């Protein structure tokens, strides 16, 4: 177990004293107390749930000061506080247990696991106690939260919550504290008028927005965390399943063209005039009950932030049609920002035209969310909309082509073969859940859906106008908001290319940008024990939305990456995918990857066509197919892919960038595709594919408020291999994404294929492997065609970017 903290703000002793007084942990008069009494007072303050001195001292007696004496007995029999005693009590307050987690006789032995203060003397005075206590408050405990957050969940700030004389927000160590009353949160609904008419009914689309805000916002404006979630009004899972496309279809030849995009058609965006405002009010007339939420947003409700959720066009209680990622969805997302920034109209209901402003907003907005939610945040940022100060996008799409397509192929997001833009539109078109509303627009929706099916073009997989309109990276120059990007290096749903290409595109923009890369798939990381992610976001948002000069822009690492080889370990570095990283070239020999090229030409081939029974089994059991693909002793896959392995590593190799295969290939027909996987071969323990639950409902998000389970990646998964990266390409697109060429049977073609960007620590004893194959049972079309591929090994190599020493 290791607690990694990156959001600790260095402060001077004078600042520590000022901040401890600010949160009423000490009073100036306390500093004149004898050291033991001062320590006693600090310990009493550590049990805010107690109401009397006797009950507080009972809690103190539950801590051990030495191997033979509890803390209360120690305080009653000593006139000083030693370093060792302080450390022992410090660790126990963080829920470390003596004899199990640390030794009472040598508490400093776990310094590598937890933040411990450094003292100059063996016996502490009040000044050093004050410093040590400040450090304790900002240090993470075994439940993944700071000691101060732990005190908060036990009622420490309740007196301040209800004290009107306390100036809010309260800042401690550069972060906002939970001094807002979560028992009095205001829940209200408004309908923002968006400058669009996507259902063509002659009126601007109204968008339902659900707002939760502190009652204190009635007296003092607060910032807003805004999450655009197409899912929060419900989904049509059965309809989406019914629309899912068949992927057991052959790869077909597509027309030759030098430009798959063609001439850009002019978009007709005639927008009806705004509604006439009948009157103005500051009072919403609609409330909401339980709704979609996100625990990271919930955490900030007690810290002086409002939270807004909007599902956007084509969702229940809103107007419009779903369009899956185009400019119309972006306009809907930014319309809500403009209302929060005081520049757009919202109404109290859908009919009376009674306007309501976000009068409680301080016009500082952040967008948050994962997957589609983070995608819309990215889209909004590329408009440069005013009021959007920052985006925290997790596992976000930056180009929808890179989600549903790759290099001229139809490619499924991991786990969802047959899904496409039209399927996702149908799944999120929650207006269907309101029959009276849906009846009026059913035919419009079906026509729009049919057009989307046609425009997305599953026949060719080309990058066309439809996908170009859904590529946010074209507009990154407009970004004004600071960006905090979070992505899983093993996310095969929203693949790492989405964050990698965005990171490269924004590298030189005059904004503050950070990226956090974890070892998980398509998951949140705000409840991991090993990382102070919530604190980092708190530091970031306090700076961005409350304009506190806490140095978040320089204190937080530019790049933070979770190590894949060592549990609960995170590394900070200045860049990721740096263009000047050194590159190692590995040549393909007979089943081998070597630094030396083959002296003689060698060709190896494989058939993509499996026996019918085997094909049908693997088409339904992707995990078994993946295991067989990587296993060079598997008889069922023999002759159906090529595996090349390097020698075992003698020292660590940290791959950082986009591995690239330069391949020389021929196929026996006029169509073909290639797929590649980069593999770590070794029989070792690896991190669990997803975080495991360490303790249910262990993380408190406020006092008597919501809870979150504590989770972590564990180094317990014993396996023979680990997928590092992968890629796919249509051979007709060998010369570029927007160009398609003829494939002549049995003619060799040479080209480069960049794999998904990665950062991977290949340890000694492990082997780097490259698998060359064609059909990917989980992602590509599966025609099981009689295609035979021949690789010219002498002209083929693997280029691996890595971090130099």
């Amino acid at each position: 177990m290791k607690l990694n903290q990156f959001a600790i703000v260095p402060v001077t002793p004078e600042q520590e004293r000022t901040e401890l007084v600010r949160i009423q942990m000490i009073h100036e008069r306390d500093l004149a107390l004898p050291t033991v009494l001062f320590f006693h007072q600090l310990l009493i303050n550590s049990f805010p749930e107690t109401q009397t001195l006797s009950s507080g001292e009972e809690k103190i007696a539950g801590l051990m000061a030495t191997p033979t004496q509890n803390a209360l007995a120690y305080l009653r029999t000593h006139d000083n506080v030693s370093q060792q005693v302080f450390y022992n009590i410090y660790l126990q307050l963080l829920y470390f247990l003596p004899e199990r987690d640390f030794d009472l006789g040598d508490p400093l032995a776990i310094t590598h696991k937890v933040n411990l203060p450094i003292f100059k003397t063996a016996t502490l005075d009040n000044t050093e106690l004050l410093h040590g206590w400040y450090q304790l408050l900002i240090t993470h405990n075994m439940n993944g939260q700071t000691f101060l957050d732990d005190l908060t969940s036990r009622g420490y700030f309740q007196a301040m919550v209800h004290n009107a004389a306390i100036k809010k927000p309260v800042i401690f160590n550069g972060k906002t504290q939970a001094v807002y009353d979560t028992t009095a949160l205001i829940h209200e609904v408004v309908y923002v008028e968006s400058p669009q008419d996507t259902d063509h009914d002659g009126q601007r689309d109204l968008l339902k927005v659900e707002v939760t805000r502190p009652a204190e916002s009635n007296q003092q404006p607060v910032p807003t965390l805004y999450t655009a979630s197409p899912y929060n009004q419900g989904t049509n899972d059965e309809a989406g399943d019914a629309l899912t496309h068949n992927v057991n279809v052959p790869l077909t030849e597509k027309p030759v063209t030098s430009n798959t995009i063609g001439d850009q058609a002019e978009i007709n965006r005639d927008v009806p005039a705004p509604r006439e405002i009948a009157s103005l009010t500051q009072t919403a007339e609609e409330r909401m009950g339980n709704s979609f939420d996100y625990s990271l947003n919930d955490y900030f409700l007690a810290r002086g932030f409002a939270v807004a959720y909007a599902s956007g066009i084509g969702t229940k209680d809103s107007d419009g049609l779903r369009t899956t990622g185009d400019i119309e969805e972006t306009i809907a997302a930014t319309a809500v920002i403009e209302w929060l920034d005081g520049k757009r109209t919202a109404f109290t209901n859908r009919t009376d035209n009674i306007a309501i402003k976000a009068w409680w907003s301080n016009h500082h907005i952040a967008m948050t969310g994962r997957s589609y939610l983070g995608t819309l945040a990215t889209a909004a940022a590329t408009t440069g909309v005013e009021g959007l100060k920052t985006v925290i996008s997790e596992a976000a799409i930056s180009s929808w082509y890179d989600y549903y397509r790759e290099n001229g192929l139809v490619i499924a997001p991991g786990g969802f073969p047959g899904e496409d833009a039209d399927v996702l539109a149908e799944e999120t078109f929650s207006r269907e859940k309101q029959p009276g509303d849906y009846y009026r627009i059913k035919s419009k929706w079906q026509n729009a859906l049919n057009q989307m099916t046609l425009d997305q073009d599953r026949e060719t997989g080309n990058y066309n106008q439809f996908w170009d309109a859904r590529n946010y990276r074209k507009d990154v120059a407009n970004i004004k908001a600071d960006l905090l990007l979070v992505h899983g290096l093993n996310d095969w749903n929203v693949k790492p290319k989405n964050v990698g290409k965005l990171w490269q595109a924004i590298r030189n923009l005059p904004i503050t940008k950070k990226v956090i890369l974890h070892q998980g798939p398509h998951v949140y990381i705000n409840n991991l024990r090993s990382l102070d992610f919530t604190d980092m976001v708190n530091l970031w948002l306090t700076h961005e939305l409350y304009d506190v000069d806490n140095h978040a822009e320089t204190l937080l690492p530019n790049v933070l990456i979770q190590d894949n080889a060592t549990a609960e370990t995170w590394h900070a570095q200045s860049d990721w995918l740096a263009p000047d990283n050194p590159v190692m070239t590995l040549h393909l020999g007979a089943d081998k990857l070597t630094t030396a090229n083959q002296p003689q030409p060698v060709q190896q081939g494989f058939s993509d066509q499996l026996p019918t029974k085997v094909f049908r089994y693997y088409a339904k059991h992707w995990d078994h197919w993946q295991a067989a693909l990587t296993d060079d002793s598997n008889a069922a896959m023999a002759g159906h892919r090529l595996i090349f392995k390097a020698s075992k590593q003698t020292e660590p190799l940290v791959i950082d960038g986009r591995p690239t295969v330069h391949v020389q290939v021929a196929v026996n027909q006029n169509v073909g595709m290639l797929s590649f996987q980069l593999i770590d071969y070794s029989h070792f323990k690896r991190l669990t594919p997803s975080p495991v639950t360490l303790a249910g409902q262990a993380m408190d998000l406020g006092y008597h408020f919501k809870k979150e389970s504590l989770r972590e990646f564990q180094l317990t998964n014993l396996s023979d291999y680990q997928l590092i990266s992968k890629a796919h390409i249509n051979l007709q697109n060998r010369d570029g994404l927007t160009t398609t060429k003829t494939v002549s049977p049995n003619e060799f073609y040479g080209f480069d294929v960049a794999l998904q960007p990665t950062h991977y620590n290949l340890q000694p004893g492990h082997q780097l492997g490259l698998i060359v194959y064609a059909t990917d049972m989980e992602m590509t079309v599966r025609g099981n065609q009689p295609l035979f591929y021949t690789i010219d090994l002498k002209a083929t190599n693997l280029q691996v970017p890595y971090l130099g020493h």
Side-chain angles (χ1 to χ4, degrees), residues 155-202:
Y156 179 78
F157 281 120
Q158 284 309 289
M160 298 178 69
V161 166
H162 300 291
N163 185 347
I166 298 296
K167 184 179 179 181
K168 299 176 181 179
V170 171
I171 309 297
F172 188 83
N173 197 241
K175 297 172 276 288
T176 56
Q177 299 305 310
V179 295
Y180 292 77
D181 189 359
T182 55
T183 67
L185 293 172
I186 298 168
H187 305 273
E188 54 195 7
V189 175
V190 301
Y191 296 86
V192 170
E193 186 180 55
S194 187
Q196 58 192 147
D197 179 18
T198 58
D199 52 15
H200 309 294
D201 64 355

Coordinates of all heavy atoms in Angstrom, one line a residue, residues 155-202:
G155 N -18.2 15.6 11.3 CA -18.9 16.7 11.8 C -18.0 17.9 12.2 O -18.5 18.8 12.8
Y156 N -16.7 17.9 11.8 CA -15.8 18.9 12.3 C -16.3 20.3 11.9 O -16.2 21.2 12.7 CB -14.4 18.7 11.8 CG -13.4 19.7 12.3 CD1 -12.9 19.7 13.6 CD2 -13.1 20.8 11.4 CE1 -12.1 20.7 14.0 CE2 -12.2 21.8 11.9 CZ -11.7 21.8 13.2 OH -10.9 22.7 13.6
F157 N -16.8 20.5 10.7 CA -17.1 21.8 10.2 C -18.5 22.3 10.5 O -18.9 23.3 10.1 CB -16.8 21.9 8.7 CG -15.4 22.1 8.4 CD1 -14.7 21.2 7.6 CD2 -14.7 23.2 8.8 CE1 -13.4 21.3 7.2 CE2 -13.3 23.4 8.4 CZ -12.7 22.4 7.7
Q158 N -19.3 21.5 11.3 CA -20.7 21.8 11.4 C -20.9 23.1 12.1 O -21.9 23.9 11.8 CB -21.4 20.7 12.2 CG -21.7 19.4 11.3 CD -22.3 19.8 10.0 OE1 -23.5 20.2 10.0 NE2 -21.6 19.7 8.9
A159 N -20.1 23.5 13.0 CA -20.3 24.8 13.7 C -20.0 25.9 12.7 O -20.7 26.9 12.7 CB -19.3 24.9 14.9
M160 N -19.1 25.7 11.8 CA -18.8 26.7 10.8 C -19.9 26.8 9.7 O -20.2 27.8 9.2 CB -17.4 26.5 10.2 CG -16.3 26.6 11.2 SD -14.7 26.3 10.5 CE -14.4 27.7 9.5
V161 N -20.5 25.6 9.4 CA -21.5 25.5 8.4 C -22.7 26.5 8.8 O -23.3 27.2 8.0 CB -22.0 24.1 8.2 CG1 -23.3 24.1 7.5 CG2 -21.0 23.3 7.5
H162 N -23.0 26.5 10.1 CA -24.2 27.2 10.5 C -23.8 28.6 11.2 O -24.7 29.2 11.8 CB -25.0 26.4 11.5 CG -25.4 25.1 10.9 ND1 -26.4 25.0 10.0 CD2 -25.1 23.8 11.2 CE1 -26.6 23.7 9.6 NE2 -25.8 23.0 10.3
N163 N -22.6 29.0 11.0 CA -22.2 30.3 11.5 C -22.1 31.3 10.4 O -21.3 31.3 9.5 CB -20.8 30.1 12.1 CG -20.3 31.4 12.8 OD1 -20.9 32.5 12.6 ND2 -19.3 31.3 13.6
A164 N -23.1 32.2 10.4 CA -23.2 33.2 9.3 C -22.1 34.2 9.3 O -21.8 34.8 8.3 CB -24.5 34.0 9.5
A165 N -21.3 34.2 10.4 CA -20.2 35.1 10.4 C -18.9 34.6 9.7 O -18.0 35.3 9.4 CB -19.8 35.4 11.8
I166 N -18.9 33.3 9.3 CA -17.8 32.7 8.6 C -17.8 33.1 7.2 O -18.8 32.9 6.5 CB -17.8 31.2 8.8 CG1 -17.7 30.8 10.2 CG2 -16.7 30.5 7.9 CD1 -16.4 31.1 10.9
K167 N -16.7 33.6 6.7 CA -16.7 34.0 5.3 C -16.4 32.8 4.5 O -15.4 32.0 4.7 CB -15.5 35.1 5.1 CG -15.4 35.6 3.7 CD -14.3 36.6 3.5 CE -14.2 37.1 2.1 NZ -13.1 38.1 1.9
K168 N -17.2 32.6 3.5 CA -17.0 31.4 2.6 C -16.7 31.8 1.2 O -17.0 32.9 0.7 CB -18.4 30.6 2.6 CG -18.8 30.1 4.0 CD -20.1 29.4 4.0 CE -20.5 28.9 5.4 NZ -21.8 28.3 5.4
P169 N -15.9 31.0 0.5 CA -15.5 29.6 0.9 C -14.3 29.7 1.9 O -13.6 30.7 2.0 CB -15.0 29.0 -0.5 CG -14.5 30.2 -1.3 CD -15.5 31.3 -0.9
V170 N -14.1 28.6 2.6 CA -13.0 28.5 3.5 C -11.9 27.7 2.8 O -12.2 26.6 2.3 CB -13.4 27.8 4.8 CG1 -12.2 27.4 5.7 CG2 -14.4 28.6 5.6
I171 N -10.7 28.3 2.7 CA -9.6 27.6 2.0 C -8.6 27.1 3.0 O -8.2 27.8 3.9 CB -9.0 28.6 1.0 CG1 -10.0 29.3 0.1 CG2 -7.9 27.9 0.2 CD1 -10.8 28.4 -0.8
F172 N -8.2 25.9 2.8 CA -7.2 25.3 3.6 C -6.2 24.5 2.7 O -6.7 23.7 1.9 CB -7.8 24.3 4.7 CG -6.8 23.8 5.7 CD1 -6.4 24.6 6.8 CD2 -6.1 22.6 5.5 CE1 -5.5 24.2 7.7 CE2 -5.2 22.2 6.5 CZ -4.9 23.0 7.6
N173 N -4.9 24.8 2.8 CA -3.9 24.2 1.9 C -4.3 24.4 0.4 O -4.2 23.4 -0.4 CB -3.6 22.8 2.3 CG -2.3 22.3 1.7 OD1 -2.3 21.4 0.9 ND2 -1.2 22.9 2.0
G174 N -4.9 25.5 0.1 CA -5.2 25.8 -1.3 C -6.5 25.2 -1.8 O -6.8 25.3 -3.0
K175 N -7.3 24.5 -0.9 CA -8.4 23.8 -1.4 C -9.7 24.2 -0.6 O -9.6 24.6 0.6 CB -8.2 22.3 -1.3 CG -7.1 21.8 -2.1 CD -6.7 20.3 -1.9 CE -5.8 20.2 -0.7 NZ -4.4 20.6 -1.0
T176 N -10.8 24.2 -1.3 CA -12.1 24.6 -0.6 C -12.5 23.5 0.4 O -12.3 22.3 0.1 CB -13.2 24.8 -1.6 OG1 -13.3 23.6 -2.4 CG2 -12.9 26.0 -2.5
Q177 N -13.1 23.9 1.5 CA -13.5 23.0 2.5 C -15.0 22.9 2.6 O -15.7 23.8 2.2 CB -12.9 23.4 3.9 CG -11.4 23.4 3.9 CD -10.8 22.1 3.4 OE1 -11.1 21.0 3.9 NE2 -9.8 22.1 2.5
A178 N -15.5 21.8 3.2 CA -16.9 21.5 3.2 C -17.6 22.3 4.3 O -18.1 21.7 5.3 CB -17.1 20.0 3.4
V179 N -17.8 23.5 4.1 CA -18.5 24.4 5.1 C -19.9 24.9 4.5 O -20.5 25.9 5.0 CB -17.7 25.6 5.5 CG1 -16.4 25.1 6.2 CG2 -17.3 26.4 4.2
Y180 N -20.4 24.2 3.5 CA -21.7 24.5 3.0 C -22.7 23.4 3.4 O -22.3 22.2 3.5 CB -21.7 24.6 1.4 CG -20.9 25.8 1.0 CD1 -19.5 25.8 1.0 CD2 -21.5 27.0 0.5 CE1 -18.8 26.9 0.6 CE2 -20.8 28.1 0.1 CZ -19.4 28.0 0.1 OH -18.7 29.1 -0.3
D181 N -23.9 23.8 3.6 CA -24.9 22.9 4.2 C -25.6 22.0 3.2 O -26.4 22.4 2.4 CB -26.0 23.7 4.9 CG -26.9 22.9 5.7 OD1 -26.8 21.7 5.8 OD2 -27.8 23.5 6.4
T182 N -25.2 20.7 3.2 CA -25.8 19.7 2.2 C -27.2 19.3 2.6 O -27.8 18.6 1.8 CB -24.8 18.5 2.1 OG1 -24.6 17.9 3.4 CG2 -23.5 18.9 1.5
T183 N -27.6 19.6 3.8 CA -29.0 19.3 4.2 C -30.0 20.3 3.7 O -31.2 20.1 3.8 CB -29.1 19.2 5.7 OG1 -28.9 20.5 6.3 CG2 -28.1 18.2 6.3
A184 N -29.5 21.4 3.1 CA -30.3 22.5 2.6 C -30.1 22.8 1.1 O -30.3 23.9 0.7 CB -30.1 23.7 3.4
L185 N -29.6 21.8 0.4 CA -29.4 22.0 -1.0 C -30.7 22.3 -1.8 O -31.7 21.8 -1.5 CB -28.7 20.7 -1.6 CG -27.3 20.4 -1.1 CD1 -26.9 19.0 -1.7 CD2 -26.3 21.4 -1.6
I186 N -30.5 23.2 -2.7 CA -31.7 23.6 -3.6 C -31.6 22.8 -4.9 O -30.6 22.7 -5.5 CB -31.6 25.1 -3.9 CG1 -31.7 25.9 -2.6 CG2 -32.7 25.5 -4.9 CD1 -31.3 27.4 -2.7
H187 N -32.7 22.2 -5.2 CA -32.9 21.3 -6.4 C -33.9 22.0 -7.3 O -35.1 22.1 -6.9 CB -33.3 19.9 -6.1 CG -32.4 19.2 -5.1 ND1 -31.2 18.6 -5.4 CD2 -32.5 19.2 -3.7 CE1 -30.7 18.1 -4.4 NE2 -31.4 18.4 -3.3
E188 N -33.5 22.4 -8.5 CA -34.5 23.1 -9.4 C -34.2 22.8 -10.8 O -33.1 22.4 -11.2 CB -34.4 24.6 -9.1 CG -33.0 25.2 -9.3 CD -32.9 26.6 -8.7 OE1 -33.9 27.1 -8.1 OE2 -31.9 27.3 -8.9
V189 N -35.2 23.0 -11.6 CA -35.2 22.7 -13.0 C -35.5 23.9 -13.8 O -36.4 24.7 -13.5 CB -36.2 21.6 -13.4 CG1 -36.2 21.3 -14.9 CG2 -35.9 20.3 -12.7
V190 N -34.7 24.1 -14.9 CA -35.0 25.2 -15.8 C -34.9 24.7 -17.2 O -34.4 23.6 -17.5 CB -34.0 26.4 -15.7 CG1 -34.1 27.0 -14.2 CG2 -32.6 26.0 -16.0
Y191 N -35.4 25.5 -18.2 CA -35.4 25.1 -19.6 C -34.6 26.1 -20.4 O -35.2 27.2 -20.7 CB -36.8 24.8 -20.1 CG -37.5 23.7 -19.4 CD1 -38.2 23.9 -18.2 CD2 -37.4 22.4 -19.9 CE1 -38.8 22.9 -17.5 CE2 -38.0 21.4 -19.2 CZ -38.7 21.6 -18.0 OH -39.3 20.5 -17.4
V192 N -33.4 25.8 -20.8 CA -32.6 26.8 -21.5 C -33.0 26.8 -23.0 O -33.2 25.7 -23.6 CB -31.1 26.4 -21.4 CG1 -30.2 27.2 -22.4 CG2 -30.6 26.6 -20.0
E193 N -33.1 28.0 -23.5 CA -33.5 28.1 -25.0 C -32.2 28.1 -25.8 O -31.3 29.0 -25.6 CB -34.2 29.4 -25.2 CG -34.7 29.5 -26.6 CD -35.5 30.8 -26.9 OE1 -35.0 31.9 -26.6 OE2 -36.7 30.7 -27.3
S194 N -32.0 27.1 -26.6 CA -30.8 26.9 -27.3 C -30.9 27.5 -28.7 O -32.0 27.5 -29.3 CB -30.4 25.4 -27.4 OG -29.2 25.2 -28.0
P195 N -29.9 28.1 -29.3 CA -30.0 28.7 -30.6 C -29.9 27.7 -31.8 O -29.0 27.7 -32.6 CB -28.8 29.7 -30.7 CG -27.7 28.9 -29.8 CD -28.5 28.3 -28.7
Q196 N -31.0 26.8 -31.8 CA -31.0 25.8 -32.8 C -32.5 25.2 -32.8 O -33.2 25.4 -31.9 CB -30.1 24.6 -32.5 CG -30.3 24.0 -31.1 CD -29.2 23.1 -30.6 OE1 -28.9 23.0 -29.5 NE2 -28.5 22.4 -31.5
D197 N -32.8 24.6 -33.9 CA -34.1 23.9 -34.1 C -33.9 22.6 -34.8 O -34.2 22.4 -36.0 CB -35.0 24.8 -34.9 CG -36.4 24.2 -35.1 OD1 -36.7 23.3 -34.4 OD2 -37.1 24.7 -36.1
T198 N -33.4 21.6 -34.0 CA -33.0 20.3 -34.6 C -34.2 19.4 -34.9 O -34.0 18.5 -35.7 CB -32.0 19.6 -33.7 OG1 -32.6 19.4 -32.4 CG2 -30.7 20.4 -33.6
D199 N -35.4 19.7 -34.4 CA -36.5 18.9 -34.8 C -37.4 19.7 -35.7 O -38.5 19.2 -36.1 CB -37.3 18.5 -33.5 CG -37.7 19.6 -32.6 OD1 -37.6 20.8 -33.0 OD2 -38.1 19.4 -31.4
H200 N -37.0 20.9 -36.2 CA -37.6 21.6 -37.3 C -39.1 21.8 -37.0 O -39.9 21.6 -37.9 CB -37.4 20.9 -38.6 CG -36.0 20.5 -38.9 ND1 -35.0 21.5 -39.1 CD2 -35.4 19.3 -38.9 CE1 -33.8 20.8 -39.3 NE2 -34.0 19.5 -39.2
D201 N -39.4 22.3 -35.8 CA -40.8 22.6 -35.5 C -41.1 24.1 -35.5 O -42.1 24.6 -35.1 CB -41.2 22.0 -34.2 CG -40.4 22.6 -33.0 OD1 -39.5 23.4 -33.2 OD2 -40.7 22.3 -31.8
G202 N -40.1 24.9 -36.0 CA -40.2 26.4 -36.1 C -40.0 27.1 -34.8 O -40.1 28.3 -34.7

